[in-house]
Structure formats: C-alpha cells, structure tokens
Amino acid sequence: MVTQDTLKVGDAPPTKTTRAKCWAARDTYFACLDDHNLWLQGLRPQTHEEIIALDAKRPIIRSESDRSLTKKEREDLYICRKMKEMFDQSCLPSWVNHFSLLRVKDLQTKYLREKLEKDEKEREAAGSGFWEKVQAKPASA
C-alpha cells in the first residue's frame, strides 16, 4: 500500500486519499509561496530579463547553502521550508516536478500577459495619431 511516508516511483498507483493529500500539500506550499512572493523555494525572479530567461524545466534555484546570500535573504527565500518538505513527502517526485514546472510556466505567462497589457495601455495613452491621420485623409474622388 502507498502511504505518505513511502511514496516512490514504481509503487502501486496513488489512491484517491493519497492524491488528495498530495494536492492539499501542494496547495498549502503554493499558498505560502504566493504569500511571500516566491515562485518556488529559493526562486524569486525580479527583473524582466530574469523572468524571460527562466527555463521552467530547469529553473536556477539558489541553494540554501549559497554563501552569497545574506541571512535575511536566506530566510526570505526558504521561509516555506516546512510546507515544501510536506509537499515532497506527500507527492511522487514526478508529481512534484510536474506541479513545480506548471507553477513556473503559469507565473511566467501571467507576468508576460500583464506586461503586454500594461505596454498596450501605455501606447494607447501616448497615442500614435495613426487613426486620426487615416480619418483626416481626404477621400479620393
């Protein structure tokens, strides 16, 4: 039987109860990440270039033992540690990878959509005058 403590690839398929525990652990972990403005544990891209360059399949996650991190940065990046451990214990490793990949892709898409909408509003506010010029052009006789 698959239990929370023994989830491994190759075991029997997860039961409905096991899947529900996994989803609950995922939701708790992701809610913690959202509350602290993190994409994943150890991952907080902040600039446009960092977000665009991010490979969702292999995100570069800062290690907790990274000596370039200050104590405050380390605490901020790894504040959801307990929820992450619960997520890792409750789900198959392939599920953890899958859900993490989807989260990064969804956040990238959300960022890009918001950026495009913002840029479009700025262009509209600036007004190129294109349509005004087209409307002002006299009709050909």
Side-chain angles (χ1 to χ4, degrees), residues 29-87:
Y29 172 54
F30 286 179
C32 179
L33 294 173
D34 289 340
D35 290 345
H36 295 95
N37 199 27
L38 293 166
W39 285 33
L40 293 174
Q41 180 169 275
L43 179 63
R44 182 186 287 149
Q46 295 178 337
T47 66
H48 176 74
E49 290 74 22
E50 288 175 344
I51 292 169
I52 297 300
L54 189 62
D55 181 359
K57 292 183 181 179
R58 292 186 203 95
I60 299 172
I61 296 175
R62 308 262 324 245
S63 169
E64 197 168 0
S65 60
D66 185 343
R67 293 183 186 267
S68 68
L69 292 174
T70 65
K71 184 177 181 180
K72 173 85 170 110
E73 289 173 327
R74 190 173 293 114
E75 288 172 1
D76 289 347
L77 288 172
Y78 289 90
I79 197 158
C80 301
R81 181 182 301 112
K82 290 181 182 171
M83 285 68 122
K84 169 72 167 134
E85 290 171 2
M86 200 58 178
F87 178 46

Side-chain angles (χ1 to χ4, degrees), residues 130-141:
F130 175 77
W131 291 113
E132 291 80 11
K133 290 176 188 173
V134 170
Q135 290 174 345
K137 185 176 180 184
S140 301

Side-chain angles (χ1 to χ4, degrees), residues 14-29:
T15 63
K16 183 177 181 179
T17 305
T18 306
R19 291 191 307 268
K21 286 180 185 178
C22 172
W23 296 330
R26 175 204 60 196
D27 293 344
T28 302
Y29 172 54

